[in-house]
Amino acid sequence: MSFFAMSPSPSGTIPGLTGDLAETTPWSWSHCQKVWTSGGGSSVTDFLSFSTTIIEKTNHKCKEWISQGKSKAKMKFGKEFASQMVPEWQEAYMDYDYLKTLLKEIQRFKHRTRPPATPGGLKRKLTLYRAFSGLTQRHHNPTSPSSPDIESQPILVNSVNQNGSQSYETTFLMSSDEGGEYELVYFRRLDDEFNKVDKFYRAKVQEVMKEADVLNRQMDALIAFRIKVENPQGINFDRSVEMTRLASDIAASAAALSAATPSGARSASKRAPHLEAIEESTHGQADDDDDEKERNTPIQEAKPPKPKMKSTRPLPLEVLDRVKMNNTLETPRSTIKGVLNFPNHTELSFSRENLRKVEEQLKRAFVEFYQKLRLLKSYSFLNTMAFSKIMKKYDKITSRSASKSYMRMVDNSYLGSSDEVTKLMERVETTFIKHFSNANRSKGMNILRPKAKRDRHRITFSTGFFAGCTFALILALILIIRARNIMGQDGRTQYMETMFPLYSLFGFIVLHMVMYAINIFYWRKYRVNYAFIFGFKPGTELGYKEVFLLSFGLGALALASVLSNLDMEMDPKTKDYETFTELLPLNLVLFILIILFLPFNILYRSSRFFLLTCLFHCICAPLYKVTLPDFFLADQLTSQVQAIRSLEFYVCYYVWGDFKVRENTCKDSDVFKTFYFIVAVLPYLSRLLQCLRRLFEEKDPAQGFNGLKYFLTILAVCLRTAYNIDKGIGWRIIAWVVSAIAAIFCTYWDFVYDWGLLNRHSKNRWLRDKLLVPHKKVYFGAMVLDVLLRFAWLQTVFNFKLFALHRQTLITIVASLEIIRRGMWNFFRLENEHLNNVGKYRAFKSVPLPFNYDEDEDKDE
């Protein structure tokens, strides 16, 4: 084969050499070709000799290039292995890094004890020619197929039973060799890791087998339910013919799957529950890129033999006699019924609306179940690959041949030989395609395997564009205020009392969105599975770029409105301000509300509706089951009290005030003062009711103390508001005492319960055992900053005069500090939640099923 069959490279460069190395090479590609094709250059040896000359001329750069390539190769699998882990299962994966550390200890010992391979005297460095010509060997003691060393393996792997469970134990047969104790420790830890992985995989497979049996029964009920809906009583319906047709379909699909399954796998599947009533003939085995990477050999499609009717059981409609409908939809009505101990199951009602609801529920259940199967398959594949990689490293370092023996055990173990997950995936695919995607394979597979979101360049460009506009408008606003001396004009005070509170609303919203975008960035960086924790649909969660785009877009609009409404004096002719500019804040609020409630599938509709749903649950707090997104949003609203008060001022200013002359009597109105208390209390009241609901359902005393925390906060907010309205010394003392108690209680709760810190007995003293951020000082700094920002309310009680700022400016600064504190709180709160999921290996949400069998009810009782 000619090495020059490739397309010619530009003059002055050599293929395979890039960067500085290519630039320093004095030889051109045309010269290489000339040497190669000239009389004596027709052999591979000449080419390798010429390559040796090139390397000798660029010795320094070549060394650097090779060392960098080796380091990248060494780090590649470890990083890839960590990035492909299921975050909640990371403790169950093989500890690849620790095993590499043990191998490095073995390597260091051998370097200390083993003399140099080259004898004293002239030491010639290996050239590319010698490497290619086979003069060097990968191992120091190579063995040929006929060598007797193959029979004397360094390890012996045995299967043992410990406490009724199967495990594997490796006996190192060369422990008497120098440094054998290091290798003995390595194999002990390797066995521990493999037994951990195998045990976890076995347990998870047993779980999915049980779930498959439950889904099988659910599909029995669905098919019978569908028959009853399509053929209601009173219509001529030949039941025996329908049952015969269903049984024939089932038998054909079972035979097809049996023919498409290898004989070894077929025998292993006898233990697995079969989706008997829903199996369909395979439609080919073409899968997406992920499946092609995971499968070693494609499963060839086989024609199903003629089905045998006696080997199947028909699907009886009598199954509906033992089934009831689950009331899985959480509504205020269902909550009231639950309090009054009404049964949670209803009799079957055979309507198309109920059929549609049942199909949607089972569709979600199948999608979630399929994702679990995919992750289990990936878990098996990644761990098997990791054991193969680590054993190859061991062979390379120790010059032994232990990897074949160990990997033979891995392949024969449950982790390497079990095919239940693969077969279940095939059955779920055929079932889902037939019953939930109208036999459209591409449609069904797109639902089962949603494509990962790709970063779009237009999102990045738009984010940068609006960010630039925002910062440019801020700079322009500062320069205009300075140039026109706006802060020194007579209308300054009136502007600060009317227009500034209106525009500050957008500042609070944009700041909170920016903090949320920063949270997402660091959650992704430290692999916090925020999409799973919040319960977003796969592929619909917003990334930090999208959130930055929305926040900077809103910020640019708000700043443009401010710049167009900087008039401090009325028009001398009309004796009022321009109507258009005075209505800009209200129009911007209405624009935001229209976008938020827009029913069309634009501007992240799924995320908008998710936000509205959680907001509605917060408003109706005790009537809906409390989930993490609901109370997380309620916590965000507790930091937006001033924004909610700004909305109250919008209503008062534009409804009862005269916005044309910037006059209002809001602060003198008793109704306004009353609602000034109410709107400030609403977010805390919502959290209090959520805690009471959880206390009632979970019987957890911690929820009672959490509710007490919000009750104290409500008292503190009311007392501080009363003091701001009536500046009395009595109100001041009471407000200070109650606010201090509430702040201390809330700070302690943040550290201990929300963040999981202040654990005196932790291996990370005063923190917690597991930390995602590698620097401990970040946690201590966050605690100090949380205390300082938590006590920012002191300004409202002691009335600190900072640089002669206006009162509205101080209120805005204090509210902004609270939003920043909440953004910092968000990261550590979700980090703690993620670590709790990791500790419980909780990687999936439980999906409610539509049908309930009578025997299940008896088991529950």
Side-chain angles (χ1 to χ4, degrees):
M1 175 182 175
S2 175
F3 285 87
F4 293 96
M6 302 175 291
S7 59
S9 299
S11 178
T13 61
I14 295 175
L17 302 181
T18 58
D20 297 334
L21 183 57
E23 294 174 0
T24 56
T25 304
W27 301 88
S28 66
W29 176 247
S30 59
H31 185 58
C32 294
Q33 191 171 8
K34 183 178 179 181
V35 173
W36 173 253
T37 55
S38 61
S42 58
S43 64
V44 177
T45 306
D46 292 323
F47 174 76
L48 295 176
S49 300
F50 179 62
S51 301
T52 304
T53 305
I54 295 175
I55 292 176
E56 289 176 353
K57 287 181 176 294
T58 57
N59 192 25
H60 176 71
K61 290 293 181 182
C62 183
K63 280 185 181 179
E64 183 179 349
W65 178 64
I66 292 175
S67 61
Q68 290 177 356
K70 287 183 177 180
S71 62
K72 290 181 180 178
K74 289 180 180 178
M75 296 299 294
K76 186 176 179 181
F77 178 76
K79 289 184 178 180
E80 187 70 19
F81 183 60
S83 64
Q84 294 291 333
M85 288 182 181
V86 180
E88 288 76 16
W89 292 352
Q90 60 186 2
E91 295 295 324
Y93 283 82
M94 186 188 85
D95 196 343
Y96 187 78
D97 291 336
Y98 182 74
L99 291 176
K100 277 180 60 178
T101 303
L102 295 180
L103 288 180
K104 287 180 181 179
E105 291 180 0
I106 297 174
Q107 189 176 31
R108 283 193 294 266
F109 176 81
K110 289 188 177 294
H111 283 324
R112 290 196 306 264
T113 58
R114 182 179 298 170
T118 305
L122 178 63
K123 297 182 180 179
R124 182 180 177 184
K125 296 182 179 179
L126 295 178
T127 63
L128 182 63
Y129 169 74
R130 298 189 67 202
F132 270 98
S133 60
L135 298 180
T136 60
Q137 295 292 337
R138 184 180 185 91
H139 303 295
H140 293 281
N141 298 315
T143 57
S144 62
S146 60
S147 174
D149 292 340
I150 292 180
E151 299 177 0
S152 57
Q153 294 292 337
I155 61 171
L156 181 64
V157 186
N158 296 316
S159 174
V160 296
N161 289 323
Q162 293 181 353
N163 300 324
S165 62
Q166 186 182 23
S167 61
Y168 296 89
E169 187 176 282
T170 302
T171 303
F172 183 56
L173 304 177
M174 299 184 179
S175 56
S176 59
D177 291 357
E178 188 177 14
E181 62 275 9
Y182 289 95
E183 299 179 51
L184 190 62
V185 171
Y186 164 77
F187 279 109
R188 285 179 181 175
R189 186 55 191 261
L190 185 68
D191 289 340
D192 293 341
E193 292 298 316
F194 180 80
N195 290 327
K196 176 189 72 175
V197 169
D198 188 70
K199 181 179 179 181
F200 179 83
Y201 182 73
R202 190 188 299 268
K204 287 299 177 183
V205 170
Q206 291 176 356
E207 287 183 16
V208 297
M209 290 300 173
K210 293 178 181 178
E211 291 181 32
D213 183 58
V214 172
L215 285 177
N216 183 42
R217 300 174 65 200
Q218 292 286 320
M219 287 302 298
D220 286 344
L222 171 64
I223 295 175
F225 192 91
R226 185 180 289 167
I227 293 173
K228 291 287 288 184
V229 171
E230 294 176 353
N231 301 276
Q233 294 180 0
I235 297 179
N236 187 18
F237 170 58
D238 192 347
R239 174 176 165 183
S240 61
V241 173
E242 181 66 20
M243 290 299 100
T244 302
R245 182 183 66 81
L246 283 173
S248 178
D249 289 345
I250 296 164
S253 64
L257 285 174
S258 177
T261 306
S263 58
R266 200 177 304 133
S267 61
S269 65
K270 295 180 180 179
R271 303 186 303 272
H274 298 279
L275 302 178
E276 296 173 70
I278 56 179
E279 292 174 352
E280 300 296 334
S281 60
T282 56
H283 297 275
Q285 303 297 334
D287 290 321
D288 58 6
D289 295 338
D290 292 339
D291 200 20
E292 291 177 0
K293 292 179 181 178
E294 292 172 355
R295 297 187 181 184
N296 293 327
T297 57
I299 301 176
Q300 297 183 353
E301 187 177 0
K303 293 183 179 180
K306 186 175 180 180
K308 298 180 180 180
M309 297 297 298
K310 63 180 181 179
S311 63
T312 62
R313 61 175 179 84
L315 179 67
L317 290 180
E318 283 76 8
V319 70
L320 298 176
D321 297 335
R322 300 181 287 111
V323 171
K324 293 182 180 180
M325 293 281 290
N326 284 328
N327 293 326
T328 57
L329 183 62
E330 190 71 25
T331 61
R333 183 180 178 184
S334 64
T335 300
I336 296 174
K337 285 185 176 182
V339 174
L340 299 177
N341 292 325
F342 276 83
N344 197 32
H345 313 296
T346 58
E347 298 297 329
L348 297 178
S349 175
F350 301 102
S351 64
R352 293 197 175 273
E353 179 64 21
N354 282 342
L355 177 61
R356 184 187 63 81
K357 293 179 180 179
V358 167
E359 288 177 342
E360 282 297 321
Q361 285 182 293
L362 276 179
K363 186 177 180 179
R364 291 196 301 270
F366 267 89
V367 170
E368 191 73 16
F369 181 66
Y370 189 78
Q371 297 308 315
K372 183 180 292 187
L373 294 177
R374 289 187 68 191
L375 293 184
L376 265 179
K377 187 175 181 180
S378 173
Y379 176 86
S380 172
F381 174 79
L382 282 176
N383 280 288
T384 303
M385 177 80 70
F387 282 109
S388 175
K389 290 284 185 180
I390 204 68
M391 286 305 300
K392 287 181 180 179
K393 288 182 179 294
Y394 170 81
D395 285 355
K396 180 179 178 181
I397 291 173
T398 61
S399 302
R400 303 188 193 279
S401 300
S403 59
K404 290 184 178 180
S405 300
Y406 201 87
M407 291 310 299
R408 191 181 303 114
M409 178 275 295
V410 173
D411 293 337
N412 294 330
S413 67
Y414 191 84
L415 177 71
S417 62
S418 173
D419 64 340
E420 283 93 342
V421 172
T422 302
K423 290 165 58 180
L424 267 180
M425 289 179 68
E426 294 172 356
R427 289 170 183 149
V428 170
E429 289 172 6
T430 55
T431 300
F432 191 87
I433 291 168
K434 172 66 184 295
H435 292 277
F436 299 106
S437 62
N438 199 22
N440 188 332
R441 181 172 179 82
S442 62
K443 178 182 176 182
M445 294 307 296
N446 285 336
I447 297 174
L448 287 175
R449 300 189 176 196
K451 295 181 179 179
K453 288 180 62 177
R454 295 180 179 178
D455 288 338
R456 298 181 178 179
H457 295 299
R458 66 185 183 195
I459 297 293
T460 305
F461 172 79
S462 301
T463 302
F465 174 77
F466 282 111
C469 291
T470 301
F471 292 119
L473 290 171
I474 292 175
L475 181 61
L477 180 62
I478 297 173
L479 293 177
I480 290 175
I481 291 175
R482 290 287 185 181
R484 293 168 53 181
N485 194 23
I486 290 177
M487 302 307 294
Q489 296 182 13
D490 295 336
R492 165 182 170 272
T493 303
Q494 189 179 25
Y495 185 91
M496 294 297 297
E497 292 292 339
T498 55
M499 303 307 296
F500 187 80
L502 299 178
Y503 285 115
S504 63
L505 169 67
F506 306 110
F508 297 144
I509 296 175
V510 170
L511 178 60
H512 211 137
M513 293 176 68
V514 168
M515 294 302 299
Y516 180 64
I518 295 173
N519 288 149
I520 293 176
F521 175 81
Y522 282 104
W523 285 333
R524 286 188 172 183
K525 180 178 180 180
Y526 294 108
R527 306 194 71 230
V528 175
N529 197 355
Y530 71 96
F532 166 72
I533 294 174
F534 286 136
F536 295 134
K537 290 182 180 179
T540 63
E541 70 276 6
L542 295 183
Y544 67 92
K545 291 182 181 179
E546 288 86 351
V547 180
F548 272 134
L549 173 62
L550 295 175
S551 58
F552 287 133
L554 177 58
L557 287 175
L559 287 169
S561 300
V562 172
L563 284 173
S564 60
N565 194 10
L566 284 177
D567 297 329
M568 296 296 154
E569 297 179 357
M570 293 185 290
D571 189 341
K573 294 181 180 180
T574 60
K575 300 298 183 183
D576 60 12
Y577 295 93
E578 188 176 349
T579 303
F580 175 76
T581 56
E582 294 301 308
L583 287 176
L584 281 177
L586 180 62
N587 291 334
L588 194 52
V589 169
L590 294 177
F591 173 75
I592 294 174
L593 292 177
I594 291 173
I595 293 297
L596 195 60
F597 289 93
L598 198 65
F600 305 111
N601 192 15
I602 57 175
L603 294 175
Y604 312 114
R605 182 180 65 174
S606 60
S607 298
R608 289 188 284 111
F609 283 12
F610 185 86
L611 174 64
L612 291 174
T613 302
C614 294
L615 183 61
F616 183 73
H617 289 176
C618 292
I619 296 174
C620 307
L623 301 179
Y624 283 92
K625 183 178 179 63
V626 183
T627 59
L628 188 141
D630 297 338
F631 71 73
F632 190 86
L633 178 60
D635 280 324
Q636 307 309 303
L637 294 177
T638 59
S639 297
Q640 288 284 6
V641 169
Q642 197 57 40
I644 300 174
R645 283 175 169 173
S646 296
L647 287 175
E648 179 196 3
F649 183 72
Y650 266 90
V651 175
C652 179
Y653 181 74
Y654 283 106
V655 175
W656 289 284
D658 189 354
F659 63 88
K660 292 184 179 181
V661 295
R662 295 180 181 173
E663 291 182 354
N664 65 87
T665 58
C666 296
K667 295 184 179 179
D668 297 329
S669 172
D670 293 335
V671 176
F672 182 83
K673 291 179 180 179
T674 302
F675 276 94
Y676 201 68
F677 281 90
I678 294 174
V679 298
V681 165
L682 283 178
Y684 299 102
L685 181 61
S686 175
R687 281 297 288 125
L688 173 60
L689 295 175
Q690 287 176 344
C691 292
L692 294 179
R693 169 71 186 258
R694 294 186 66 182
L695 176 64
F696 176 78
E697 288 184 338
E698 303 171 11
K699 303 297 187 295
D700 185 5
Q703 297 302 324
F705 290 108
N706 199 16
L708 177 62
K709 178 189 72 173
Y710 288 105
F711 178 74
L712 289 175
T713 306
I714 290 174
L715 288 180
V717 171
C718 291
L719 290 173
R720 291 203 298 268
T721 305
Y723 169 70
N724 289 331
I725 296 175
D726 182 10
K727 302 286 185 179
I729 187 65
W731 286 116
R732 181 174 182 176
I733 295 175
I734 297 175
W736 191 92
V737 173
V738 176
S739 297
I741 295 174
I744 294 172
F745 194 177
C746 292
T747 303
Y748 175 79
W749 195 274
D750 285 349
F751 295 164
V752 177
Y753 290 94
D754 291 340
W755 295 0
L757 304 178
L758 292 184
N759 187 355
R760 186 175 59 181
H761 302 291
S762 170
K763 63 181 181 181
N764 302 307
R765 192 167 179 81
W766 298 111
L767 298 177
R768 62 171 109 86
D769 289 339
K770 297 178 182 178
L771 303 174
L772 295 184
V773 182
H775 306 292
K776 297 180 183 179
K777 59 184 178 182
V778 173
Y779 294 90
F780 291 109
M783 287 191 285
V784 173
L785 191 58
D786 185 79
V787 172
L788 296 177
L789 297 178
R790 174 73 77 173
F791 283 85
W793 55 266
L794 288 172
Q795 188 278 332
T796 61
V797 177
F798 292 104
N799 295 322
F800 298 130
K801 300 297 181 181
L802 301 176
F803 310 107
L805 296 177
H806 191 275
R807 187 178 64 89
Q808 288 293 339
T809 305
L810 288 175
I811 292 175
T812 302
I813 292 175
V814 172
S816 300
L817 291 177
E818 169 59 22
I819 294 173
I820 294 173
R821 187 199 69 82
R822 180 60 63 184
M824 181 183 64
W825 178 91
N826 290 342
F827 174 80
F828 296 105
R829 175 65 182 88
L830 233 65
E831 179 200 21
N832 190 38
E833 183 70 22
H834 171 74
L835 291 176
N836 288 335
N837 291 339
V838 170
K840 300 175 183 177
Y841 302 108
R842 189 166 50 205
F844 301 95
K845 298 286 185 182
S846 59
V847 179
L849 298 175
F851 298 110
N852 182 72
Y853 281 78
D854 292 339
E855 53 265 33
D856 295 337
E857 210 170 36
D858 296 338
K859 289 179 182 179
D860 294 340
E861 292 176 359

